[in-house]
Amino acid sequence: MDDLRSEDVENLLEVLVAIDDKDRMFALLEDLFTIREIRESSQRLAVARMLDSGMSYVAIEKETGMSATTIARVSKCLGYGAGGYRHAIDLLDDEGRSSLG
């Protein structure tokens, strides 16, 4: 994926890491992506969390409506990808623990 890391992508990454306000981030997502793309992306993260918790493909498909193909793709990325899902899950888990304590 090194060919994907263009100057434009680097600029987008700089913007994404600099935004520390959820409302501003949501505004950017609304401008960058369609409503469907936002929903599907957030559902993929939810699927990764469900897979990580040990849920079966069938249970995830039933709960989310996502296709078995998409669930398998998320599973492959979770297990053998670049580590993005793992990091996101860990961030959400850490955030959940901090809000509890």
Side-chain angles (χ1 to χ4, degrees):
M1 288 284 179
D2 287 336
D3 58 327
L4 183 59
R5 298 284 298 256
S6 68
E7 183 178 348
D8 290 338
V9 171
E10 291 297 325
N11 289 335
L12 176 61
L13 294 172
E14 287 295 323
V15 168
L16 292 174
V17 298
I19 296 174
D20 62 356
D21 178 85
K22 285 184 182 182
D23 292 330
R24 287 185 179 185
M25 179 60 76
F26 188 76
L28 178 61
L29 292 179
E30 279 190 303
D31 289 347
L32 284 173
F33 303 111
T34 65
I35 292 167
R36 181 178 179 172
E37 289 169 332
I38 294 170
R39 284 188 181 133
E40 288 177 353
S41 297
S42 61
Q43 282 183 316
R44 286 187 191 113
L45 180 55
V47 166
R49 292 180 84 188
M50 291 175 196
L51 287 165
D52 192 55
S53 73
M55 283 182 74
S56 71
Y57 281 33
V58 173
I60 294 170
E61 190 172 3
K62 186 175 181 179
E63 185 170 326
T64 65
M66 298 292 276
S67 71
T69 303
T70 299
I71 296 166
R73 182 177 180 275
V74 171
S75 179
K76 181 178 178 183
C77 289
L78 184 60
Y80 305 103
Y85 280 126
R86 172 84 272 137
H87 185 67
I89 291 167
D90 291 345
L91 283 172
L92 289 170
D93 288 350
D94 288 346
E95 186 177 294
R97 280 193 286 275
S98 347
S99 66
L100 294 174

